[in-house]
Amino acid sequence: MNFPSPDLHAYFSGRWNFLRTMFGADDVLIGEAEGAAEFLPGAGTSLLHYKESGQLRLAADQRVVAFSRRFDYEVASDVVHVVFADGMQAGQAYQSYRYDAVKQALLPVETHLCILDRYDGSYQLIDDEQFELRTRIDGPHKDYLVHTRFTRQPG
């Protein structure tokens, strides 16, 4: 599928299911998660409110942990700015991405630093019904790869 001039606001809008895997150093599985996410229109034509919730199964002890997270996505043409919308970081910038038509992906313009740990993410737009988010987190305190595959909910 080719997205020469994607309408990223329309692309992400709606409800999605996701599967997530988290790997640590040496590709050791940390956990697997599944859940649901939605991108709902905000107050402006460029704003999307993202909300996810799900269950994480930790590989070490098979414990299941419920989670939820919220972000705001400001979509401006081929650039997406992501801002924390919950927790102590609410209102702070997380990451920014620019669409690359050749790779059909949103690639990082800015990374997020949490103390000295660096978060780099990219979105691969597979087709109208699915996309992947890969986030690499590395630094003195963290060494993770988080891979999330989103599939649009029917209807």
Side-chain angles (χ1 to χ4, degrees), residues 108-136:
V109 174
E110 299 173 9
T111 58
H112 174 70
L113 287 177
C114 179
I115 305 175
L116 296 175
D117 296 316
R118 180 179 153 165
Y119 289 62
D120 277 313
S122 64
Y123 293 77
Q124 182 66 52
L125 308 186
I126 298 167
D127 57 31
D128 290 339
E129 303 300 317
Q130 53 190 336
F131 69 94
E132 293 180 344
L133 170 59
R134 291 182 181 267
T135 304
R136 177 82 183 120

Side-chain angles (χ1 to χ4, degrees), residues 18 36-40 49-53 68-71:
F18 66 85
E38 57 187 2
F39 290 87
L40 298 177
H49 296 296
Y50 173 83
K51 179 182 176 185
E52 71 173 32
S53 59
S68 65
R69 195 74 216 247
R70 293 186 304 129
F71 292 94

Side-chain angles (χ1 to χ4, degrees), residues 132-145:
E132 293 180 344
L133 170 59
R134 291 182 181 267
T135 304
R136 177 82 183 120
I137 307 159
D138 62 354
H141 306 292
K142 297 178 182 168
D143 185 4
Y144 306 124
L145 176 61

Side-chain angles (χ1 to χ4, degrees), residues 7-79:
D7 179 344
L8 294 170
H9 190 277
Y11 177 84
F12 286 110
S13 290
R15 299 183 193 290
W16 302 81
N17 293 320
F18 66 85
L19 297 173
R20 179 173 293 148
T21 52
M22 300 167 51
F23 293 95
D26 300 324
D27 292 326
V28 173
L29 180 67
I30 295 171
E32 296 177 306
E34 62 181 277
E38 57 187 2
F39 290 87
L40 298 177
T45 58
S46 62
L47 185 64
L48 288 169
H49 296 296
Y50 173 83
K51 179 182 176 185
E52 71 173 32
S53 59
Q55 302 271 330
L56 167 65
R57 180 177 301 279
L58 298 170
D61 59 9
Q62 295 301 301
R63 184 169 38 116
V64 176
V65 179
F67 66 90
S68 65
R69 195 74 216 247
R70 293 186 304 129
F71 292 94
D72 286 333
Y73 281 59
E74 183 71 34
V75 181
S77 183
D78 65 344
V79 175

